[in-house]
Amino acid sequence: MTTDPLFETHRPRLFALAYRLLGSRSDAEDVVQDAWLRWRQADPAEIRDPEAWLVTAATRLGIDRLRRVRHERETYTGPWLPEPLEVDEAPGPERGAEIAQQVSLAFLALLERLGPEERAAFLLKEAFDYDYAQIAELLGHSEANCRQMVHRARLRLQAERPRFAVEPDRHRRLLERFMHAARAGDRDAIAALLADNARLVSDGGGKAVAARRPLFGAERIARLYWAVARRPGPKAEWRLGRVNGEPAILRWLDGRLHSITTVTIEDDRIVEVLSVMNPDKLRGLA
């Protein structure tokens, strides 16, 4: 396929938007490919602003695809978590800054609670700095309606997110302590790091051993890691790295990335543990 320099200029922005909309790198790649096909079939004389045309095409394609995959996610085996975009075991300053432009798995999981158009309006405003007139034209709604969608989305997301951001080094130190305690199956140490009402969500997709429902409570989560540490069989290798720009635990088994785990922290306690274990979502990441 012949490369189109103009389209390639906008490809990173289109992919970033589609990935945030869908929480899946494979779905995002499909949306960008579909946008490319529409771009090739369009009459250049009718395209006054290529960037606006391409973002509109990618957003509408992304909304349509999100509507289709929502049913699949509702019937998914166990909890569904976003598909990680990229894993880095030893990010340097430049590489870390590049990856940090992506969004955390916890935030992508929160976005799943929004409707497709509400999610698109919120992302266009908050992540891509579009004004309401642009969003209204792009989505085919009034400015007032778009303002209301973004306002509702902000309220819903703010209610679920930690009240205060955690300094990155502190986040990493706490995650490292959790990794050592979990690897050893030290129930007391694990429970001490978790909030009483902590939640664990693991996504195995029916293809890896994982809890079929979210697990609530520090003691129950600590008991799970205690049991996993005592399970017979080959032991995984645990390392710290980054996933989508945030610190993460990477577990390797027989040279294959077995799972990634990220945490959400509030008041110096872990309030949420997210583990992606579905091999389809990890394939090709590292």
Side-chain angles (χ1 to χ4, degrees):
M1 182 172 63
T2 304
T3 301
D4 184 324
L6 183 56
F7 183 88
E8 293 304 318
T9 297
H10 298 292
R11 180 185 289 274
R13 187 174 184 84
L14 301 180
F15 179 83
L17 173 59
Y19 178 68
R20 286 163 171 81
L21 263 177
L22 293 155
S24 162
R25 68 179 189 278
S26 53
D27 285 330
E29 287 165 355
D30 287 344
V31 163
V32 174
Q33 179 64 18
D34 289 345
W36 156 257
L37 293 174
R38 290 195 177 187
W39 169 257
R40 294 296 295 165
Q41 295 165 2
D43 181 357
E46 296 180 359
I47 300 176
R48 296 190 304 274
D49 184 339
E51 180 178 352
W53 191 98
L54 286 167
V55 169
T56 299
T59 301
R60 292 177 178 171
L61 287 164
I63 289 171
D64 290 343
R65 193 172 191 89
L66 185 56
R67 288 184 176 128
R68 292 197 301 272
V69 301
R70 282 172 80 90
H71 175 68
E72 297 173 13
R73 294 174 185 180
E74 289 169 358
T75 57
Y76 189 79
T77 302
W80 183 92
L81 288 175
E83 183 180 358
L85 179 63
E86 192 165 1
V87 166
D88 200 333
E89 291 186 78
E94 293 183 5
R95 187 59 175 158
E98 178 185 339
I99 299 174
Q101 298 302 312
Q102 307 303 330
V103 293
S104 72
L105 296 186
F107 187 59
L108 286 173
L110 278 181
L111 290 176
E112 286 294 303
R113 305 186 185 191
L114 305 179
E117 289 194 336
E118 186 180 27
R119 182 167 177 167
F122 175 81
L123 288 170
L124 288 166
K125 180 62 180 172
E126 297 296 316
F128 295 91
D129 200 29
Y130 277 62
D131 61 37
Y132 287 110
Q134 292 171 307
I135 297 171
E137 182 177 358
L138 197 154
L139 295 181
H141 288 285
S142 68
E143 286 189 46
N145 194 13
C146 290
R147 286 179 184 275
Q148 188 62 28
M149 282 195 288
V150 173
H151 177 69
R152 284 198 309 265
R154 282 189 187 130
L155 291 179
R156 293 182 67 183
L157 297 177
Q158 286 171 0
E160 300 289 340
R161 301 186 80 180
R163 291 169 295 169
F164 305 107
V166 179
E167 192 267 331
D169 286 342
R170 208 162 100 206
H171 186 131
R172 186 176 180 86
R173 287 195 301 269
L174 187 56
L175 181 66
E176 187 171 16
R177 289 168 59 196
F178 178 76
M179 180 182 75
H180 292 314
R183 180 169 54 192
D186 187 336
R187 280 194 294 186
D188 291 339
I190 296 169
L193 293 168
L194 297 168
D196 291 341
N197 62 344
R199 181 177 79 136
L200 179 145
V201 180
S202 54
D203 175 352
K207 300 183 179 184
V209 178
R212 292 294 184 96
R213 294 183 179 86
L215 203 60
F216 293 92
E219 291 299 330
R220 293 186 68 195
I221 296 171
R223 198 179 310 126
L224 173 66
Y225 280 105
W226 175 84
V228 169
R230 279 150 184 77
R231 186 180 296 159
K235 299 298 181 182
E237 180 184 354
W238 300 54
R239 308 176 197 166
L240 278 185
R242 284 187 176 272
V243 172
N244 285 26
E246 66 176 335
I249 298 170
L250 313 177
R251 287 199 296 166
W252 297 79
L253 189 62
D254 296 329
R256 176 180 61 84
L257 185 59
H258 174 267
S259 68
I260 65 162
T261 299
T262 64
V263 300
T264 301
I265 298 168
E266 187 171 357
D267 297 330
D268 284 328
R269 289 290 184 272
I270 295 170
V271 296
E272 185 175 58
V273 180
L274 302 180
S275 288
V276 179
M277 307 171 73
N278 185 338
D280 292 344
K281 295 184 178 183
L282 301 175
R283 192 173 293 118
L285 277 176

